[in-house]
Amino acid sequence: MEAGILWDRLADLRMGLFISMPIGTVLSALILTVQLLSGAGLAAVLWFAAVSVINGARIGLAIAQSDIPAPPDIPDNRLKPVAARLSLYGLLALASGIAWSFLAVLSDGYTTPQAPLYLIVLAGLSAGSVTYSASYAPASLNFMTLPLLLAAGCVLVKGNVENYVLGFTILLFLAGMIRSSLLGQARFRETSRLKYEAREFATRMERNSRRDPLTNLLNRYGLEQAISQLGHSGGPFVAMLIDLDGFKSVNDTYGHNIGDDLLVRVARRIENHAPPGATIARIGGDEFVLLFPASGSPHSTDGLASLIIAAIADPDPALNSVRVGASIGIYVSEKPQLTEMLLRADFALYAAKRSGRNEYCLFDAELDHGLERKHCIERDLRGAVEAGALCSWFQPIVRLDTHAVVGFEALLRWQHPVHGAIPPPEIVTAARETGLLSLLTETVFLNCCSMIEELARTGRQDVRVAMNLSPRELEAGNVDDMILGGLETKNVPAAMLEIEITEEAPVDRDRVDEKLERLADAGISIVLDDFGTGFSTLVSLKDSRIRKIKIDKDFVRDLAKSVEDQALVKAVIDLGRTLGIEVMAEGVETDADRLILRSLDCTIAQGFLFSAARPMRDALAFEPRHFDNSAKTSFDPAQLPSRRTGSAA
C-alpha cells in the first residue's frame, strides 16, 4: 500500500508540473520583460536563466518518471528510489523558491514601482504551487516559504500602517497556504490509502471467490480460472474426478462438523499424493478434481488413482462405525478444457461406481460411445415425444385363480432410429436431465386416458390402468393438478386409474403426502411399487392411502428355488391381508413361480409368463392363456435353514 501511495504522489506531481511549469515560465518571462523595460540589466537576465534552468530540471525529472513501474508492479527494491525521487522534487522546489526570493533584490526590497506586480505574481505562484502539489506538501512549502517571508520582511521594514497591514496580509496568506498544503497532502494520502485498501479488498474477495472456504482448495470458479491460464502445450492433461463413497453416512451418524473435518483431511490426503504443480479443487459437497499434465506425474494414471483411493479409504480414527472410500473417474485430454474434461470424467466416475466402492475408471472408447448415446437420446427426446415416436405399451395384470385380466401397466417404449429400443429407465433419466419429465409424464397420462376410454367403451370398467410416478416428480411439479384436470376434461373415471409410486425418499415428505391425498380422495388407487427395495417400507404400509403393493421382481424371480424368498413373500402377503391392502407380484417368468405364488395366497401378478407389454390395440385384444392349476406346490417353513445366533468372546 505504501508503494502505491508513493507512486500516486509522483504521478500527481508529474501531472501538476506539466501544468504549473509553463505558467511559471510565462510569469518569469513577464517579470524579465518588466525589468528590462525599467532599465534592469544582467541581474534580471541571470535571474530568469536560473529560474528557467530549475524549471527545466523539474520537467526533466517528471519526464524521467516514466521508468518507474506502476503499482502493484513496483518491486520492493524500488521503494527507496521512489522515495528519493520525491525528495528530489522537494529539493528542486526549494531551489526554485530560492531563485524567486531574488525578486526582493531585483525590486530593491519591494520598493520599486513594479513591486505590487511582483507581489501579485508571487502570490499567484504560491497558490498555484499548493494547487498543483497537493499530494506532496514539501514541493509547495519549499517553494513559497522563503520568497513570501522575504517579501513580508521587506514590506514591514518600510514602516507605516499600510506596509504593516500589507506585511501582515502576506504572512497571513503564507500561513493559509501552509495549512492548505498540509491538509491537501493529508487528504491526498487518505484518498490514495482508501483506493488501495479498496483494491486490496477487491483482490482478496476475488481470491476468496476462487477458494473453497472449508478446504482452501480451488472451487469451481477458481478451477475455471486456473485452467484458462494453462497453455495448450505440455499435454496430455489428466483430469481425475474424485467422489467419496459413504460420506452421507458420516454426516448422518456423526454430524456435519465431523463431516467437514473429514473433507479437510481428504483434501490434505489428495494434496499429499498429487503430482508437483497439480491443480486441485473441490467442486461439490464431496467431489474433488485433480488436474495435472501426464508428463509431470511420477506415477502412472492407474497407479496414482489407486494410491489416492487407498489414502482416502485408510480408516479414520475419528470414525469408528463408518468407512469412507472413493470412486474416481479419469479423462485424459490433449487440451485443458474444463467442461469437456469434467463431463467425461463424470461419466467415467459413474461407471466406476457401478463397479462398486473404491474403484476407478478411465474414460475410453466404450464410454465415449455410451456418452454419445446419452447425448443423442437427450437431444432427440423432445422431438420423439412431440412426433409420437415415444409411446406407451401396456403389460397385462392377471388374476392367478381365474386368469382374468384385471389391469394394465403403462410402460414407455421408444424405438430410436440409431440406438434401437431405449429402456424406460434411460428415457426417464434423459427426461429428468433435460427438463422434459413433466412433458413425459403428461404424455404417459394421456396414453393411459386413451386406454381407459377404450376399456370403458367396451364395458370393462373393472379393469384398471396404472402409470408410474416418482415422489421426486410429485414434489417438484404440479402433477396432481395435471392428472385431476385431465380426468375431468376427458371425463375419464378416476377409479380406473392407478398411480404406482416408487419407494424413493422425497425431500419434502409433507408436500408429497398432500398431493397423494388429493389424488386418493379423487378415487385414484395408489400403489406402492417395487416393495421391499426402497426406503421406509414398513412405515409406508401405515399410510391409509396405499391400496395395493407390488412385490419387487427381485423377490419373485426364481421364487420356486428360494425358500427364504418364499418366506419373505408370504410374510408380505399375510401383512397385506391383515392391513386390508391388496398384494400383487411382478416379474413372474416361470410356471413354477406362478404356482408358488398361488400357494402363498397371492392372487394378482404380471410378468413375461403371461405377456410382455403390448401396443394399446394388441393389449385390448389380449386373451390370457389358461394354466394348469392342478399341480400342487406349497411353501414349507421347515425347509428354511436354521440360523445360529451368539456373541463373540
Side-chain angles (χ1 to χ4, degrees):
M1 183 182 298
E2 191 60 34
I5 293 174
L6 288 175
W7 190 90
D8 283 352
R9 283 179 162 184
L10 282 174
D12 185 74
L13 283 174
R14 184 173 185 268
M15 185 183 300
L17 282 173
F18 285 121
I19 299 175
S20 63
M21 287 301 95
I23 296 175
T25 301
V26 170
L27 292 176
S28 60
L30 176 62
I31 291 176
L32 174 63
T33 302
V34 172
Q35 283 286 312
L36 292 176
L37 291 175
S38 61
L42 183 60
V45 175
L46 292 175
W47 172 84
F48 178 77
V51 169
S52 299
V53 169
I54 295 170
N55 287 347
R58 296 172 76 180
I59 289 292
L61 182 62
I63 294 174
Q65 184 179 323
S66 59
D67 66 340
I68 299 179
D73 302 321
I74 300 179
D76 293 340
N77 61 356
R78 294 298 304 271
L79 287 179
K80 288 185 178 179
V82 172
R85 191 73 60 92
L86 276 175
S87 298
L88 187 55
Y89 270 115
L91 290 175
L92 289 175
L94 178 61
S96 184
I98 293 172
W100 279 91
S101 297
F102 277 90
L103 272 181
V105 177
L106 295 177
S107 61
D108 294 331
Y110 294 100
T111 58
T112 62
Q114 295 81 20
L117 172 64
Y118 299 158
L119 289 174
I120 292 173
V121 170
L122 188 58
L125 287 174
S126 299
S129 70
V130 172
T131 301
Y132 295 114
S133 304
S135 60
Y136 186 58
S140 57
L141 295 178
N142 291 354
F143 169 77
M144 69 182 177
T145 302
L146 185 58
L148 289 178
L149 283 177
L150 284 175
C154 291
V155 172
L156 291 172
V157 167
K158 290 193 292 185
N160 72 51
V161 175
E162 290 82 358
N163 289 326
Y164 290 152
V165 171
L166 181 58
F168 177 75
T169 302
I170 294 174
L171 292 175
L172 192 63
F173 175 75
L174 174 61
M177 292 294 100
I178 292 173
R179 182 175 181 276
S180 296
S181 182
L182 294 175
L183 283 176
Q185 176 180 267
R187 288 169 180 165
F188 185 90
R189 181 179 178 83
E190 179 67 10
T191 300
S192 183
R193 182 186 67 80
L194 291 174
K195 179 182 75 173
Y196 286 105
E197 280 187 353
R199 184 176 296 177
E200 287 183 3
F201 178 75
T203 302
R204 189 164 58 251
M205 290 295 292
E206 171 69 12
R207 185 169 57 250
N208 291 341
S209 71
R210 300 181 182 185
R211 291 281 172 182
D212 169 45
L214 179 63
T215 63
N216 199 38
L217 299 177
L218 295 175
N219 56 21
R220 176 63 180 256
Y221 174 68
L223 182 62
E224 291 175 354
Q225 298 298 309
I227 289 182
S228 67
Q229 295 172 7
L230 292 175
H232 288 175
S233 60
F237 295 89
V238 179
M240 290 187 175
L241 185 58
I242 306 167
D243 185 79
L244 301 187
D245 297 322
F247 179 71
K248 183 178 183 300
S249 297
V250 175
N251 282 336
D252 293 343
T253 305
Y254 294 96
H256 289 277
N257 289 337
I258 299 298
D260 288 347
D261 293 340
L262 174 63
L263 289 174
V264 173
R265 290 194 292 274
V266 168
R268 301 294 83 83
R269 292 177 184 181
I270 295 174
E271 285 180 328
N272 292 338
H273 289 83
T279 300
I280 311 173
R282 178 187 173 217
I283 62 170
D286 59 349
E287 278 193 335
F288 299 84
V289 172
L290 177 62
L291 176 70
F292 58 92
S295 59
S297 175
H299 305 284
S300 67
T301 301
D302 291 16
L304 180 59
S306 298
L307 286 174
I308 292 175
I309 289 175
I312 294 175
D314 189 28
D316 197 308
L319 308 174
N320 296 321
S321 60
V322 177
R323 288 291 179 265
V324 175
S327 298
I328 301 180
I330 307 170
Y331 177 64
V332 181
S333 174
E334 291 298 327
K335 298 179 180 179
Q337 297 175 341
L338 181 62
T339 301
E340 175 192 355
M341 297 180 83
L342 289 187
L343 178 66
R344 285 160 172 75
D346 184 65
F347 203 72
L349 171 66
Y350 279 96
K353 283 185 173 294
R354 287 193 295 270
S355 301
R357 293 166 61 100
N358 296 329
E359 297 286 344
Y360 66 87
C361 180
L362 180 66
F363 188 89
D364 55 14
E366 182 179 352
L367 288 181
D368 188 45
H369 175 73
L371 182 60
E372 177 57 32
R373 168 191 169 93
K374 177 177 180 289
H375 289 166
C376 185
I377 291 171
E378 292 175 353
R379 183 176 62 247
D380 297 342
L381 180 58
R382 178 181 288 275
V385 173
E386 294 175 348
L390 192 149
C391 59
S392 296
W393 285 18
F394 297 89
Q395 185 176 28
I397 300 170
V398 303
R399 287 189 62 90
L400 295 178
D401 51 356
T402 65
H403 308 129
V405 175
V406 295
F408 294 94
E409 180 182 2
L411 299 173
L412 285 169
R413 291 294 182 267
W414 180 19
Q415 190 70 23
H416 192 276
V418 175
H419 301 290
I422 309 299
E426 198 170 349
I427 298 173
V428 173
T429 299
R432 181 178 289 114
E433 294 190 2
T434 54
L436 297 176
L437 192 56
S438 59
L439 177 62
L440 186 65
T441 301
E442 184 176 6
T443 300
V444 174
F445 169 70
L446 294 176
N447 292 339
C448 289
C449 287
S450 298
M451 184 67 165
I452 292 173
E453 287 174 336
E454 288 298 316
L455 289 168
R457 188 178 62 81
T458 56
R460 302 172 67 183
Q461 287 88 349
D462 58 332
V463 178
R464 292 175 178 170
V465 179
M467 63 177 289
N468 290 281
L469 204 59
S470 74
R472 294 291 179 90
E473 192 175 354
L474 269 173
E475 177 185 45
N478 296 318
V479 181
D480 53 331
D481 291 334
M482 184 270 293
I483 292 175
L484 295 177
L487 291 175
E488 182 178 357
T489 300
K490 292 183 171 293
N491 194 26
V492 171
M496 294 182 67
L497 178 66
E498 285 188 343
I499 293 180
E500 297 187 1
I501 302 294
T502 54
E503 280 198 285
E504 65 180 47
V507 176
D508 190 345
R509 185 82 189 206
D510 292 339
R511 180 174 171 85
V512 172
D513 287 345
E514 178 184 348
K515 294 184 175 185
L516 284 177
E517 187 75 39
R518 289 189 65 201
L519 296 172
D521 289 345
I524 298 172
S525 178
I526 307 298
V527 181
L528 195 59
D529 196 8
D530 299 333
F531 186 80
T533 61
F535 297 89
S536 307
T537 300
L538 293 178
V539 173
S540 300
L541 294 182
K542 296 171 58 178
D543 192 332
S544 60
R545 292 166 300 212
I546 302 299
R547 300 181 185 177
K548 181 192 295 184
I549 56 177
K550 291 178 68 172
I551 301 175
D552 187 72
K553 57 183 176 293
D554 288 341
F555 295 98
V556 176
R557 187 179 294 116
D558 294 329
L559 183 64
K561 301 177 182 178
S562 173
V563 179
E564 290 89 347
D565 283 349
Q566 292 175 29
L568 289 172
V569 171
K570 176 63 174 174
V572 172
I573 293 172
D574 291 343
L575 185 59
R577 182 182 296 110
T578 301
L579 297 174
I581 299 174
E582 192 175 25
V583 178
M584 68 169 288
E586 64 176 352
V588 180
E589 298 182 357
T590 67
D591 196 51
D593 292 338
R594 177 188 69 83
L595 291 172
I596 286 291
L597 286 170
R598 279 213 64 195
S599 71
L600 297 177
D601 296 327
C602 180
T603 58
I604 305 174
Q606 72 180 107
F608 290 150
L609 177 65
F610 311 108
S611 174
R614 298 163 173 255
M616 188 175 76
R617 293 298 173 191
D618 294 346
L620 288 168
F622 171 72
E623 291 290 341
R625 67 188 178 96
H626 288 264
F627 294 89
D628 182 10
N629 292 329
S630 61
K632 300 297 182 181
T633 304
S634 62
F635 164 64
D636 184 3
Q639 298 180 32
L640 286 172
S642 61
R643 300 178 184 272
R644 295 183 179 180
T645 59
S647 59

